[in-house]
Amino acid sequence: MSKLPDFEALAIFAKVVELRSFASAATELALSKATVSKAVSRLEQRLGARLFNRTSRRLALTDAGQKLAERAARLLADGEDAENEALSQSMAPRGLVRLAVPMTFGVKAVAPILPEFLAAFPEVSIDLHLSDATVDLIGEGFDAGLRIARLPDSSLIARRLCAMPRYTVAAPSYLKRHGRPTHPMHLAQHKCFGYAYLSTPGVWHYTNAAGEQASVRPAGQLRVNNGEALLPSVIAGLGIADLPYFIVGDAIASGEVEVILKGWHQPEGAVHLVTPPGGPRPARVEVLADFLAGHFAKAKKGGKAS
């Protein structure tokens, strides 16, 4: 006997018992009568016992059939309930969404808009996981994640939400003491702070309007696994950092730091919503994706996301 029960045959058997007819069971299950008969015969062979006494006019359960009928009916009912519940969750926005988001972006940009989403979709719950490390969505059971980078090729389904440029910055006090670099290669003579989760850790890539490219491996006293942790040391005038807008935008606006290397640009990054591959996304994930896309599209028009 194989390890798994023959669930299909048990369910078909339960339907035959319920309707007291092979033909009626076949009609309700949208199967041929031969398929129904073969399923019951397969189950009888598996169990080594006759389940029905059949004549041309009458269908009666044997003792073995009667013992099995109640459990088979319960199995069929449980299966129908499970399928209906899964179907209702996929068709209507209901249930839990496990969402993985980079730490600072989650605190600054996602958490503040969650009240609006939760009020609009009261039957959807959010399990928000904050970490700058790239999580394994499939292996760790996440429904979706936000990634802020140029995405590598993968099997994940990605939806671009908005641009997220990076800026190389330093405090005015640092520039006054150490000078202002005008070419990326000058960074080798400066104190630069590092971020652990760059797509190319320890290397900063630049391109200018003429198409010239430069890659540098700057070094300094501080390396972190959360970009926001660099900002106090940069503002204090201790070094240079390369940071995304959502972390450094306010400090640029206030004058606490200045953008350097203005003629040079890092490869454009963006905020992407990524989901595991497969069939249609459940409604609870789809409405969250649409909500985030709508919010960040409005933020971009207002100049906050790019």
Side-chain angles (χ1 to χ4, degrees), residues 167-255:
Y167 296 101
T168 306
V169 297
S173 59
Y174 177 90
L175 298 175
K176 185 177 180 178
R177 289 196 307 272
H178 300 285
R180 181 184 297 268
T182 57
H183 190 284
M185 303 311 294
H186 297 164
L187 294 175
Q189 286 81 51
H190 286 267
K191 299 176 181 178
C192 299
F193 300 145
Y195 174 60
Y197 294 126
L198 288 176
S199 56
T200 53
V203 181
W204 298 357
H205 300 282
Y206 294 90
T207 305
N208 65 13
E212 181 185 354
Q213 297 183 348
S215 296
V216 295
R217 191 179 293 274
Q221 294 175 278
L222 182 62
R223 186 171 185 265
V224 301
N225 65 358
N226 173 261
E228 190 176 21
L230 292 176
L231 202 52
S233 295
V234 176
I235 292 174
L238 299 179
I240 295 171
D242 183 73
L243 294 167
Y245 177 84
F246 69 89
I247 290 178
V248 78
D250 289 343
I252 293 172
S254 69

Side-chain angles (χ1 to χ4, degrees), residues 35-50:
T35 299
V36 172
S37 181
K38 287 178 181 178
V40 173
S41 296
R42 188 171 73 242
L43 190 59
E44 288 176 330
Q45 288 182 341
R46 184 185 179 96
L47 300 177
R50 183 188 294 272

